[in-house]
Amino acid sequence: MKKEIYAVILAAGSGNRMQLGTKKQFLCYQNKPLWWQSFNTFYHSPLIHGIILVFPDDEPCYGQAVEEAQRLIKEHNYTIPVLYCKGGALRQDSVFHALCIAPKTCSHVLIHDSARPFFTAALITSLIQKLDEGQKAVIPSLPLSDTIKEFAVAKDFSKIVTNSPNRNFLRSVQTPQAFSLPELTRAHQLVQKEKITITDDAMAMEEIGIPVLLIDGEKSNQKITYKEDLALLEKTPLLPVSGYGYDVHKYGGNRPFVLGGIAFDTDIMIEAHSDGDVLIHALMDALLSCMAMGDIGKHFPDTNKEFENISSLILLDKVMELWKKTSLTLTHVDLTVICQKPKISPYTEQIKKNICRLLGLTENQVNVKATTEEGLGFTGNLQGIKAAALVSAIKML
């Protein structure tokens, strides 16, 4: 059966612990109500087919929330199916109401608390990947850093420690949590019938004996619960940024073949003003693109004798000095070499390690690959070599 996955965003809580005049799900964050942040993240995941919004059941709050949601959706030209329902007295009641209006075509749901606005699309993907593998209940979790104590209340109402559980076997859990819809519906029907109190939906699945898989959560996926947590909403917003670089060099010059800062054992020579490292040149262009600062021709023109036969690694250092003056954080680099000869694969690991060292990245943040053009065109005729670079970064606004 093809999966149709709906996200359920719970925005019906009273927010009593926050002790504010405004329910926390409607707090202003980046000029939008807080729940919108979660909506936006789900919307931009291609794995989510629809969204169910659960708002407080009291009027006029419910009507106003729905009206605001419809306005924002229209304003952003979002086309995903959106359903609305009223919450219940307890969180578990709100979830049950949402499950009752899920479309018949819906096979799986992700249940999420709108007070956790900082989860990422990567977490959505990780959860759904486990659903694809056949799991019926998958939840994100983090190891505990604090020691946990169980206690009993004495006659004088003081708290006395009774046990210290081994924290190596304890995890704190987050949302979104992912489930097979038929099993979760059955679990919540039992919860409703038996009047069982649960604090998350995984507990409902445990009640009917469904194994719940833990995966790694995200440290940044924090929950807005108390007044002190409002400081999280004051953090500087982050903007994803990408930069693309492309470069070409002819064969047949007088420069030894260097790629990614690694000297190759080959007779092929490069025609270039600098050392002709086409991969580093593409990388520099991508970095400059992220900074919106032009290209290497602007910063290191081939009419300037200062840059004649200069190592491209020196030029990369100069680009990184510019980078350090920005509010950008480098997160990922993807590099592609296109040539017929020489064979690149024996050197890709060396190049990768070198790029990691030069940029201060780990090996899971850099990818280096090579391809040919099947004997066609410029590279197929052994006239030269091409390289492309894609750089991903986060910019503080």
Side-chain angles (χ1 to χ4, degrees):
M1 182 180 70
K2 184 179 178 181
K3 289 182 176 60
E4 184 172 294
I5 303 170
Y6 268 63
V8 176
I9 300 177
L10 300 172
S14 61
N16 289 334
R17 286 177 291 183
M18 187 67 71
Q19 296 181 338
L20 294 174
T22 303
K23 293 179 173 66
K24 61 186 177 183
Q25 62 269 36
F26 301 118
L27 290 171
C28 185
Y29 179 64
Q30 296 186 23
N31 298 317
K32 305 284 193 307
L34 187 62
W35 62 261
W36 177 258
Q37 181 74 11
S38 298
F39 185 98
N40 215 32
T41 302
F42 280 123
Y43 177 81
H44 285 98
S45 169
L47 303 176
I48 299 298
H49 301 93
I51 296 174
I52 300 174
L53 282 168
V54 188
F55 290 131
D57 66 348
D58 55 303
E59 293 291 356
C61 183
Y62 177 76
Q64 291 172 347
V66 171
E67 185 178 336
E68 174 75 351
Q70 292 173 336
R71 184 188 66 79
L72 287 169
I73 292 166
K74 183 178 180 181
E75 180 181 297
H76 288 77
N77 295 315
Y78 287 173
T79 56
I80 196 168
V82 179
L83 302 176
Y84 305 91
C85 76
K86 293 182 177 181
L90 301 174
R91 180 190 184 279
Q92 62 202 62
D93 300 325
S94 295
V95 174
F96 185 63
H97 292 178
L99 299 182
C100 289
I101 69 163
K104 292 181 179 180
T105 53
C106 177
S107 60
H108 294 77
V109 290
L110 269 62
I111 311 294
H112 181 63
D113 297 324
S114 63
R116 290 188 186 271
F118 305 118
F119 73 105
T120 69
L123 182 56
I124 297 172
T125 301
S126 297
L127 290 164
I128 292 176
Q129 182 179 355
K130 293 302 178 183
L131 294 179
D132 287 339
E133 293 172 5
Q135 298 291 335
K136 295 184 183 299
V138 191
I139 64 175
S141 66
L142 293 175
L144 297 178
S145 57
D146 297 323
T147 297
I148 302 299
K149 300 289 184 182
E150 294 179 356
F151 67 90
V153 179
K155 290 182 179 179
D156 62 355
F157 301 105
S158 59
K159 299 179 181 69
I160 307 298
V161 172
T162 59
N163 184 39
S164 298
N166 185 344
R167 70 183 183 194
N168 292 325
F169 297 96
L170 298 171
R171 306 275 286 194
S172 62
V173 301
Q174 305 174 326
T175 65
Q177 299 183 351
F179 305 99
S180 166
L181 179 58
E183 280 78 7
L184 184 62
T185 300
R186 180 160 60 91
H188 269 279
Q189 286 171 341
L190 175 68
V191 165
Q192 292 289 317
K193 180 180 178 181
E194 302 293 334
K195 298 188 182 335
I196 301 168
T197 300
I198 59 174
T199 54
D200 76 344
D201 301 285
M203 288 179 67
M205 296 294 264
E206 293 165 37
E207 289 290 336
I208 62 169
I210 299 291
V212 178
L213 178 69
L214 295 172
I215 66 167
D216 289 337
E218 298 174 325
K219 288 184 179 179
S220 59
N221 186 16
Q222 296 173 272
K223 189 176 182 181
I224 309 298
T225 304
Y226 302 102
K227 279 186 177 180
E228 294 80 3
D229 300 329
L230 293 176
L232 296 170
L233 302 181
E234 297 171 3
K235 289 182 176 180
T236 304
L238 302 177
L239 177 70
V241 178
S242 61
Y244 178 73
Y246 175 81
D247 198 36
V248 176
H249 277 297
K250 293 180 183 179
Y251 287 164
N254 58 356
R255 307 291 190 219
F257 193 99
V258 177
L259 193 69
I262 304 298
F264 276 46
D265 183 14
T266 177
D267 294 332
I268 294 175
M269 304 292 280
I270 297 291
E271 183 178 317
H273 181 67
S274 63
D275 65 354
D277 191 330
V278 67
L279 190 60
I280 297 296
H281 292 175
L283 173 58
M284 288 192 292
D285 263 349
L287 291 165
L288 289 166
S289 180
C290 265
M291 294 184 279
M293 295 183 67
D295 58 16
I296 56 176
K298 174 183 176 181
H299 293 268
F300 316 112
D302 58 12
T303 54
N304 191 330
K305 290 187 178 181
E306 177 187 352
F307 305 121
E308 187 173 354
N309 200 27
I310 192 171
S311 168
S312 294
L313 302 187
I314 295 175
L315 301 182
L316 178 59
D317 279 343
K318 292 180 182 293
V319 171
M320 291 310 294
E321 285 301 315
L322 295 173
W323 184 277
K324 290 172 185 176
K325 296 175 183 178
T326 71
S327 59
L328 290 161
T329 299
L330 194 57
T331 58
H332 193 81
V333 172
D334 187 27
L335 303 172
T336 305
V337 181
I338 307 104
C339 67
Q340 199 69 36
K341 289 184 179 181
K343 194 170 182 62
I344 306 298
S345 57
Y347 298 89
T348 52
E349 281 305 308
Q350 287 178 263
I351 294 172
K352 178 175 180 174
K353 289 179 180 178
N354 202 35
I355 297 298
C356 288
R357 178 182 62 82
L358 294 166
L359 300 181
L361 298 176
T362 60
E363 291 195 19
N364 65 355
Q365 292 177 291
V366 174
N367 188 52
V368 179
K369 57 190 183 298
T371 187
T372 71
E373 292 183 305
E374 301 292 338
L376 300 174
F378 173 81
T379 62
N381 292 329
L382 301 181
Q383 293 176 278
I385 184 171
K386 305 175 184 178
L390 180 63
V391 165
S392 299
I394 295 294
K395 182 178 183 179
M396 289 191 298
L397 298 178

